[in-house]
Amino acid sequence: FRKGVNVINGKAGKADTELKWIYYFLNTFLDKGDEFLLETENIFITCTSCQRELVMLKHLVENVLGKKIRIVVKGNRSIPDGETLLSL
C-alpha cells in the first residue's frame, strides 16, 4: 500500500485509506467472529469509489460468508468531496 493501488479507472489510490482499512479488517478480524460493527470517522463524507468498496465488503461478508456486518461512516457533511477539502 505504500506504493498505492490501482482502482478500476486506472487512477492511483495512494491515499485510499478505506482500502487499507478493509484490507486490515479482512486479514485481522474476519475469522475472529460472525458479527461485526465497523465504525469510522472521516474528515469528509466517503467518496463514491470508497462507498462502492464498503458495499462490496458488506456483500462479501453477508452474502458470501454468511456473517453479519454493520458499517457506520461518520463524516463532515459540509465537506462533500475531496476537491472541496483540498480547496480549504
Side-chain angles (χ1 to χ4, degrees), residues 9-68:
N9 63 4
K11 292 182 180 177
K14 291 181 181 178
D16 206 342
T17 56
E18 282 80 0
L19 274 181
K20 295 173 187 175
W21 186 70
I22 290 170
Y23 179 82
Y24 179 74
F25 167 74
L26 291 173
N27 283 298
T28 307
F29 298 107
L30 190 60
D31 63 341
K32 305 273 192 268
D34 292 322
E35 193 169 331
F36 303 95
L37 169 61
L38 303 179
E39 193 169 326
T40 182
E41 218 170 303
N42 295 350
I43 294 172
F44 64 99
I45 297 300
T46 319
C47 65
T48 54
S49 65
C50 295
Q51 290 172 11
R52 180 193 68 229
E53 291 153 5
L54 295 174
V55 168
M56 291 168 55
L57 173 64
K58 184 173 177 66
H59 176 79
L60 169 72
V61 172
E62 292 183 343
N63 299 334
V64 177
L65 302 175
K67 299 181 179 200
K68 294 181 181 181

